[in-house]
Amino acid sequence: MSSILCFGEALIDFHAQPQGGAGQPPAFVPFAGGAPANVAVAAARLGGKARFAGMLSRDMFGDFLLKSLTELGVGTEDIARTDEARTALAFVAHDEKGDRSFSFYRPPAADLLFRPEHFRPGAFDDLAVFHVCSNSLTEAAIAATTVEGMRRARAAGALVSFDMNLRPALWPKDEAPLPRLWETLNEADVIKLSAEEFAFIHAGAGSDDAVLERLWRGKARLLLVTDGPEPMRWFTRSARGTLQGYTVDAVDTTAAGDAFVGGLLARLAMEEVTPARFDALIADEARLVGLIRFAAAAGAITATHKGSFTAIPDQAEVMAFMEKHA
């Protein structure tokens, strides 16, 4: 099976814990996380062969991230290390529905220091999918590296995946995200957006159809728009549809979208889908819906557990869940 290479940030999510009592200070517990790192873990646990590429600090948190990725079956040969910056931190709070809010300590951060020369020779060989998100677009140099990676992967014959995963707090106040977002959207075959992100890219484009027309002028061939417990939407260049997800009691949605993407990419790799065969797969609605349902089940299960890496189920759990909720 060819590999899934996830590029970008790995960080520490400090999740808020219930207070022990009146007068007790708030407590936060560290979990290994970061959107593309979560996707790599999900892909590995859900049947794929996954690797992570990024820059980790040579600090205690960088060591923790490396150990966590290795223990969960993610290849780490594409990771570089640095002493020039520390690991990014995110403090996560949850509301009663499990929806999260973030307080980031980044930049500076090690993940922003990865450059094209840090890609390992052979990193793009025998690659099924190259995956990125927008958290590696927030500064010019790391954004250029991200797009360079996407182009190298395409030239090597891999599908290119982009989950926007937009975190406005990570962007400089004087930096408009849309130009870099659209440059990256134009390089991806598979795009996953939340409903809020789909609305965000409407700026300057207009209606849904106008946004889709602009996407189809790039490399995009499959767009998935998720909306929490509401039906998700899927779009190809020739068809579109909706699909009801699974209803669960959400505890923590931090890694749910990443598990969804990891599940989808794992199934694509298991199907041995190449760019040349991708259009035939997504034109078969039954096969496409089957892939999306598997991804949705992975995301739903993840939302019922606290944490990031640690919340993601394995393939057997997803199959049992799907059978129970058929």
Side-chain angles (χ1 to χ4, degrees), residues 104-152:
F104 291 101
Y105 288 78
R106 172 187 183 261
D111 63 282
L112 298 172
L113 301 182
F114 197 100
R115 297 294 179 263
E117 60 267 24
H118 294 128
F119 283 118
R120 177 180 60 86
F124 299 97
D125 295 346
D126 191 30
L127 198 62
V129 185
F130 183 73
H131 173 75
V132 302
C133 83
S134 73
N135 295 343
S136 59
L137 302 178
T138 56
E139 294 184 356
I142 189 64
T145 302
T146 302
V147 173
E148 172 69 14
M150 297 171 84
R151 291 172 177 165
R152 288 192 194 183

Short mmCIF file of all heavy atoms in Angstrom, two decimals, residues 104-152:
data_model
loop_
_atom_site.label_atom_id
_atom_site.label_comp_id
_atom_site.label_asym_id
_atom_site.label_seq_id
_atom_site.Cartn_x
_atom_site.Cartn_y
_atom_site.Cartn_z
N PHE A 104 -4.05 30.16 21.37
CA PHE A 104 -2.80 29.65 20.81
C PHE A 104 -1.58 30.42 21.32
O PHE A 104 -1.64 31.64 21.51
CB PHE A 104 -2.82 29.75 19.28
CG PHE A 104 -3.80 28.82 18.62
CD1 PHE A 104 -5.03 29.28 18.17
CD2 PHE A 104 -3.49 27.48 18.44
CE1 PHE A 104 -5.93 28.43 17.55
CE2 PHE A 104 -4.39 26.62 17.83
CZ PHE A 104 -5.61 27.09 17.38
N TYR A 105 -0.48 29.67 21.50
CA TYR A 105 0.82 30.28 21.76
C TYR A 105 1.74 29.89 20.59
O TYR A 105 2.46 28.92 20.63
CB TYR A 105 1.36 29.81 23.12
CG TYR A 105 0.58 30.43 24.25
CD1 TYR A 105 -0.68 29.95 24.59
CD2 TYR A 105 1.07 31.54 24.93
CE1 TYR A 105 -1.43 30.56 25.59
CE2 TYR A 105 0.33 32.14 25.94
CZ TYR A 105 -0.92 31.64 26.26
OH TYR A 105 -1.65 32.24 27.26
N ARG A 106 1.62 30.70 19.52
CA ARG A 106 2.30 30.47 18.24
C ARG A 106 2.01 31.67 17.37
O ARG A 106 0.82 32.02 17.25
CB ARG A 106 1.77 29.18 17.60
CG ARG A 106 2.23 28.90 16.16
CD ARG A 106 1.47 27.68 15.64
NE ARG A 106 1.86 27.27 14.32
CZ ARG A 106 1.19 27.59 13.21
NH1 ARG A 106 0.12 28.36 13.27
NH2 ARG A 106 1.60 27.15 12.04
N PRO A 107 2.94 32.31 16.64
CA PRO A 107 4.37 32.05 16.65
C PRO A 107 5.04 32.70 17.88
O PRO A 107 4.37 33.44 18.59
CB PRO A 107 4.82 32.71 15.35
CG PRO A 107 3.87 33.86 15.15
CD PRO A 107 2.56 33.39 15.74
N PRO A 108 6.36 32.49 18.04
CA PRO A 108 7.20 31.60 17.23
C PRO A 108 6.90 30.16 17.56
O PRO A 108 6.40 29.85 18.64
CB PRO A 108 8.61 32.00 17.63
CG PRO A 108 8.47 32.45 19.05
CD PRO A 108 7.13 33.12 19.13
N ALA A 109 7.23 29.25 16.64
CA ALA A 109 7.04 27.83 16.88
C ALA A 109 7.87 27.04 15.88
O ALA A 109 8.10 27.49 14.75
CB ALA A 109 5.56 27.46 16.75
N ALA A 110 8.28 25.86 16.30
CA ALA A 110 9.17 25.04 15.47
C ALA A 110 8.53 24.67 14.14
O ALA A 110 9.20 24.64 13.11
CB ALA A 110 9.56 23.78 16.24
N ASP A 111 7.23 24.37 14.13
CA ASP A 111 6.59 23.88 12.90
C ASP A 111 6.65 24.89 11.77
O ASP A 111 6.59 24.53 10.59
CB ASP A 111 5.14 23.46 13.17
CG ASP A 111 4.26 24.61 13.62
OD1 ASP A 111 4.34 25.00 14.81
OD2 ASP A 111 3.50 25.13 12.80
N LEU A 112 6.80 26.18 12.10
CA LEU A 112 6.84 27.23 11.08
C LEU A 112 8.21 27.32 10.40
O LEU A 112 8.36 28.06 9.41
CB LEU A 112 6.51 28.58 11.71
CG LEU A 112 5.11 28.70 12.32
CD1 LEU A 112 4.98 30.02 13.08
CD2 LEU A 112 4.03 28.60 11.25
N LEU A 113 9.20 26.56 10.87
CA LEU A 113 10.57 26.69 10.36
C LEU A 113 10.92 25.65 9.29
O LEU A 113 12.04 25.65 8.78
CB LEU A 113 11.56 26.58 11.52
CG LEU A 113 11.40 27.63 12.62
CD1 LEU A 113 12.47 27.44 13.68
CD2 LEU A 113 11.45 29.05 12.04
N PHE A 114 9.99 24.78 8.95
CA PHE A 114 10.26 23.77 7.91
C PHE A 114 10.35 24.47 6.56
O PHE A 114 9.54 25.34 6.24
CB PHE A 114 9.13 22.74 7.89
CG PHE A 114 9.46 21.46 7.19
CD1 PHE A 114 9.82 20.34 7.90
CD2 PHE A 114 9.40 21.36 5.80
CE1 PHE A 114 10.12 19.13 7.25
CE2 PHE A 114 9.70 20.18 5.15
CZ PHE A 114 10.06 19.06 5.87
N ARG A 115 11.36 24.08 5.76
CA ARG A 115 11.58 24.68 4.45
C ARG A 115 11.70 23.58 3.39
O ARG A 115 11.91 22.40 3.73
CB ARG A 115 12.86 25.53 4.46
CG ARG A 115 12.80 26.72 5.42
CD ARG A 115 11.77 27.75 4.99
NE ARG A 115 11.69 28.87 5.93
CZ ARG A 115 10.78 28.98 6.91
NH1 ARG A 115 9.88 28.01 7.08
NH2 ARG A 115 10.76 30.03 7.70
N PRO A 116 11.61 23.90 2.10
CA PRO A 116 11.66 22.86 1.07
C PRO A 116 12.87 21.94 1.18
O PRO A 116 12.77 20.74 0.91
CB PRO A 116 11.67 23.67 -0.23
CG PRO A 116 10.91 24.91 0.10
CD PRO A 116 11.30 25.23 1.51
N GLU A 117 14.02 22.48 1.59
CA GLU A 117 15.21 21.64 1.70
C GLU A 117 15.12 20.61 2.82
O GLU A 117 15.92 19.67 2.88
CB GLU A 117 16.46 22.50 1.90
CG GLU A 117 16.46 23.36 3.15
CD GLU A 117 15.92 24.76 2.93
OE1 GLU A 117 15.13 24.95 1.96
OE2 GLU A 117 16.29 25.66 3.71
N HIS A 118 14.12 20.75 3.70
CA HIS A 118 13.97 19.78 4.78
C HIS A 118 13.17 18.55 4.34
O HIS A 118 13.13 17.56 5.09
CB HIS A 118 13.29 20.43 5.99
CG HIS A 118 14.12 21.49 6.65
ND1 HIS A 118 13.64 22.75 6.91
CD2 HIS A 118 15.41 21.48 7.07
CE1 HIS A 118 14.58 23.47 7.47
NE2 HIS A 118 15.67 22.73 7.58
N PHE A 119 12.52 18.60 3.17
CA PHE A 119 11.87 17.39 2.68
C PHE A 119 12.94 16.33 2.42
O PHE A 119 13.91 16.58 1.70
CB PHE A 119 11.06 17.66 1.42
CG PHE A 119 9.75 18.35 1.65
CD1 PHE A 119 9.50 19.61 1.11
CD2 PHE A 119 8.76 17.74 2.40
CE1 PHE A 119 8.28 20.24 1.33
CE2 PHE A 119 7.54 18.36 2.61
CZ PHE A 119 7.30 19.62 2.07
N ARG A 120 12.75 15.18 2.98
CA ARG A 120 13.71 14.09 2.83
C ARG A 120 13.77 13.62 1.38
O ARG A 120 12.74 13.50 0.72
CB ARG A 120 13.27 12.93 3.73
CG ARG A 120 14.10 11.66 3.66
CD ARG A 120 13.52 10.61 4.61
NE ARG A 120 12.15 10.27 4.27
CZ ARG A 120 11.81 9.33 3.38
NH1 ARG A 120 12.74 8.67 2.72
NH2 ARG A 120 10.53 9.07 3.15
N PRO A 121 14.98 13.33 0.84
CA PRO A 121 15.05 12.71 -0.48
C PRO A 121 14.24 11.41 -0.47
O PRO A 121 14.37 10.58 0.42
CB PRO A 121 16.55 12.43 -0.66
CG PRO A 121 17.23 13.42 0.22
CD PRO A 121 16.32 13.59 1.41
N GLY A 122 13.37 11.26 -1.42
CA GLY A 122 12.52 10.09 -1.47
C GLY A 122 11.21 10.25 -0.73
O GLY A 122 10.39 9.32 -0.70
N ALA A 123 10.97 11.42 -0.11
CA ALA A 123 9.73 11.61 0.65
C ALA A 123 8.49 11.46 -0.21
O ALA A 123 7.43 11.04 0.29
CB ALA A 123 9.74 12.99 1.31
N PHE A 124 8.59 11.79 -1.49
CA PHE A 124 7.41 11.76 -2.36
C PHE A 124 7.34 10.50 -3.23
O PHE A 124 6.48 10.39 -4.08
CB PHE A 124 7.39 13.02 -3.23
CG PHE A 124 7.29 14.29 -2.43
CD1 PHE A 124 8.42 15.02 -2.12
CD2 PHE A 124 6.07 14.73 -1.95
CE1 PHE A 124 8.34 16.18 -1.36
CE2 PHE A 124 5.97 15.89 -1.19
CZ PHE A 124 7.11 16.61 -0.89
N ASP A 125 8.27 9.55 -2.99
CA ASP A 125 8.23 8.30 -3.73
C ASP A 125 7.12 7.40 -3.18
O ASP A 125 6.88 7.36 -1.98
CB ASP A 125 9.57 7.55 -3.60
CG ASP A 125 10.71 8.32 -4.25
OD1 ASP A 125 10.44 9.27 -5.02
OD2 ASP A 125 11.88 7.96 -3.98
N ASP A 126 6.46 6.67 -4.07
CA ASP A 126 5.43 5.70 -3.68
C ASP A 126 4.41 6.34 -2.73
O ASP A 126 4.07 5.79 -1.68
CB ASP A 126 6.06 4.46 -3.02
CG ASP A 126 5.06 3.32 -2.85
OD1 ASP A 126 4.14 3.22 -3.68
OD2 ASP A 126 5.18 2.56 -1.87
N LEU A 127 3.92 7.50 -3.12
CA LEU A 127 3.00 8.27 -2.28
C LEU A 127 1.59 8.21 -2.87
O LEU A 127 1.40 8.45 -4.06
CB LEU A 127 3.47 9.72 -2.20
CG LEU A 127 2.92 10.59 -1.08
CD1 LEU A 127 3.31 10.02 0.27
CD2 LEU A 127 3.44 12.02 -1.23
N ALA A 128 0.61 7.87 -2.04
CA ALA A 128 -0.79 7.86 -2.47
C ALA A 128 -1.40 9.24 -2.35
O ALA A 128 -2.07 9.72 -3.27
CB ALA A 128 -1.60 6.85 -1.65
N VAL A 129 -1.19 9.87 -1.20
CA VAL A 129 -1.81 11.17 -0.91
C VAL A 129 -0.83 12.04 -0.14
O VAL A 129 -0.12 11.56 0.76
CB VAL A 129 -3.10 11.01 -0.06
CG1 VAL A 129 -3.80 12.37 0.11
CG2 VAL A 129 -4.06 10.00 -0.65
N PHE A 130 -0.82 13.34 -0.47
CA PHE A 130 -0.11 14.35 0.31
C PHE A 130 -1.16 15.27 0.89
O PHE A 130 -2.00 15.82 0.16
CB PHE A 130 0.85 15.13 -0.58
CG PHE A 130 1.68 16.16 0.15
CD1 PHE A 130 2.72 15.77 0.97
CD2 PHE A 130 1.43 17.52 -0.01
CE1 PHE A 130 3.51 16.72 1.63
CE2 PHE A 130 2.20 18.47 0.65
CZ PHE A 130 3.24 18.06 1.47
N HIS A 131 -1.15 15.46 2.22
CA HIS A 131 -2.21 16.21 2.89
C HIS A 131 -1.65 17.40 3.66
O HIS A 131 -0.63 17.29 4.34
CB HIS A 131 -2.96 15.30 3.87
CG HIS A 131 -3.95 16.03 4.70
ND1 HIS A 131 -5.17 16.48 4.21
CD2 HIS A 131 -3.90 16.44 6.00
CE1 HIS A 131 -5.81 17.12 5.18
NE2 HIS A 131 -5.07 17.12 6.26
N VAL A 132 -2.37 18.54 3.59
CA VAL A 132 -1.98 19.75 4.32
C VAL A 132 -3.23 20.43 4.88
O VAL A 132 -4.36 20.10 4.51
CB VAL A 132 -1.22 20.75 3.42
CG1 VAL A 132 0.03 20.11 2.83
CG2 VAL A 132 -2.11 21.30 2.31
N CYS A 133 -3.01 21.42 5.75
CA CYS A 133 -4.10 22.29 6.21
C CYS A 133 -3.61 23.72 6.24
O CYS A 133 -2.44 24.00 5.96
CB CYS A 133 -4.63 21.84 7.57
SG CYS A 133 -3.70 22.43 9.00
N SER A 134 -4.48 24.67 6.59
CA SER A 134 -4.14 26.09 6.47
C SER A 134 -3.26 26.60 7.59
O SER A 134 -2.75 27.72 7.51
CB SER A 134 -5.42 26.94 6.41
OG SER A 134 -6.05 27.00 7.68
N ASN A 135 -3.03 25.80 8.63
CA ASN A 135 -2.18 26.29 9.72
C ASN A 135 -0.72 26.39 9.31
O ASN A 135 0.08 26.98 10.03
CB ASN A 135 -2.33 25.39 10.95
CG ASN A 135 -3.73 25.47 11.53
OD1 ASN A 135 -4.48 26.39 11.24
ND2 ASN A 135 -4.09 24.49 12.34
N SER A 136 -0.36 25.84 8.15
CA SER A 136 0.98 26.05 7.61
C SER A 136 0.95 27.06 6.47
O SER A 136 1.81 27.03 5.59
CB SER A 136 1.60 24.72 7.15
OG SER A 136 0.80 24.11 6.16
N LEU A 137 -0.02 27.96 6.51
CA LEU A 137 -0.10 29.05 5.52
C LEU A 137 0.00 30.42 6.17
O LEU A 137 -0.04 31.44 5.48
CB LEU A 137 -1.43 28.97 4.75
CG LEU A 137 -1.74 27.69 4.00
CD1 LEU A 137 -3.12 27.80 3.34
CD2 LEU A 137 -0.68 27.38 2.95
N THR A 138 0.15 30.47 7.49
CA THR A 138 -0.01 31.73 8.21
C THR A 138 1.18 32.68 8.09
O THR A 138 1.07 33.84 8.47
CB THR A 138 -0.29 31.47 9.70
OG1 THR A 138 0.78 30.67 10.23
CG2 THR A 138 -1.61 30.71 9.87
N GLU A 139 2.31 32.19 7.61
CA GLU A 139 3.47 33.04 7.32
C GLU A 139 3.96 32.71 5.92
O GLU A 139 3.81 31.57 5.45
CB GLU A 139 4.59 32.81 8.35
CG GLU A 139 4.21 33.26 9.75
CD GLU A 139 5.36 33.12 10.74
OE1 GLU A 139 6.45 32.60 10.34
OE2 GLU A 139 5.19 33.51 11.90
N ALA A 140 4.58 33.68 5.25
CA ALA A 140 4.92 33.54 3.84
C ALA A 140 5.84 32.36 3.57
O ALA A 140 5.64 31.59 2.62
CB ALA A 140 5.54 34.83 3.32
N ALA A 141 6.87 32.17 4.39
CA ALA A 141 7.86 31.13 4.09
C ALA A 141 7.29 29.73 4.25
O ALA A 141 7.51 28.86 3.40
CB ALA A 141 9.09 31.30 4.99
N ILE A 142 6.53 29.49 5.32
CA ILE A 142 5.95 28.16 5.51
C ILE A 142 4.82 27.94 4.51
O ILE A 142 4.59 26.79 4.06
CB ILE A 142 5.47 27.97 6.97
CG1 ILE A 142 5.07 26.51 7.22
CG2 ILE A 142 4.34 28.91 7.33
CD1 ILE A 142 6.19 25.51 7.10
N ALA A 143 4.12 28.99 4.10
CA ALA A 143 3.09 28.86 3.07
C ALA A 143 3.72 28.44 1.75
O ALA A 143 3.20 27.55 1.05
CB ALA A 143 2.33 30.17 2.91
N ALA A 144 4.84 29.06 1.38
CA ALA A 144 5.53 28.69 0.14
C ALA A 144 6.00 27.24 0.20
O ALA A 144 5.94 26.51 -0.80
CB ALA A 144 6.70 29.63 -0.11
N THR A 145 6.46 26.80 1.37
CA THR A 145 6.90 25.41 1.53
C THR A 145 5.72 24.46 1.36
O THR A 145 5.85 23.39 0.74
CB THR A 145 7.53 25.21 2.92
OG1 THR A 145 8.63 26.11 3.07
CG2 THR A 145 8.01 23.79 3.10
N THR A 146 4.57 24.82 1.92
CA THR A 146 3.37 23.99 1.80
C THR A 146 2.97 23.79 0.35
O THR A 146 2.73 22.67 -0.11
CB THR A 146 2.22 24.62 2.60
OG1 THR A 146 2.61 24.77 3.97
CG2 THR A 146 0.97 23.77 2.53
N VAL A 147 2.89 24.89 -0.39
CA VAL A 147 2.51 24.81 -1.80
C VAL A 147 3.56 24.05 -2.60
O VAL A 147 3.23 23.25 -3.49
CB VAL A 147 2.27 26.22 -2.38
CG1 VAL A 147 2.03 26.17 -3.88
CG2 VAL A 147 1.08 26.87 -1.68
N GLU A 148 4.84 24.25 -2.28
CA GLU A 148 5.91 23.50 -2.94
C GLU A 148 5.74 22.00 -2.71
O GLU A 148 5.90 21.19 -3.62
CB GLU A 148 7.27 23.97 -2.43
CG GLU A 148 8.45 23.14 -2.90
CD GLU A 148 8.76 23.29 -4.37
OE1 GLU A 148 8.23 24.22 -5.02
OE2 GLU A 148 9.53 22.45 -4.89
N GLY A 149 5.40 21.63 -1.49
CA GLY A 149 5.17 20.22 -1.19
C GLY A 149 4.01 19.66 -1.99
O GLY A 149 4.07 18.53 -2.50
N MET A 150 2.93 20.43 -2.11
CA MET A 150 1.77 19.99 -2.88
C MET A 150 2.17 19.76 -4.35
O MET A 150 1.76 18.76 -4.97
CB MET A 150 0.65 21.02 -2.78
CG MET A 150 0.11 21.22 -1.36
SD MET A 150 -1.02 22.63 -1.20
CE MET A 150 -2.57 21.88 -1.72
N ARG A 151 2.95 20.67 -4.89
CA ARG A 151 3.35 20.54 -6.29
C ARG A 151 4.31 19.38 -6.51
O ARG A 151 4.23 18.67 -7.52
CB ARG A 151 3.94 21.87 -6.76
CG ARG A 151 2.88 22.97 -6.86
CD ARG A 151 3.46 24.34 -7.14
NE ARG A 151 2.39 25.32 -7.30
CZ ARG A 151 2.57 26.64 -7.27
NH1 ARG A 151 3.79 27.14 -7.11
NH2 ARG A 151 1.53 27.45 -7.41
N ARG A 152 5.22 19.17 -5.57
CA ARG A 152 6.12 18.02 -5.68
C ARG A 152 5.34 16.72 -5.62
O ARG A 152 5.63 15.76 -6.35
CB ARG A 152 7.17 18.05 -4.56
CG ARG A 152 8.22 19.13 -4.70
CD ARG A 152 9.34 18.86 -3.69
NE ARG A 152 10.21 20.01 -3.53
CZ ARG A 152 11.30 20.02 -2.77
NH1 ARG A 152 11.63 18.93 -2.08
NH2 ARG A 152 12.06 21.11 -2.67
#
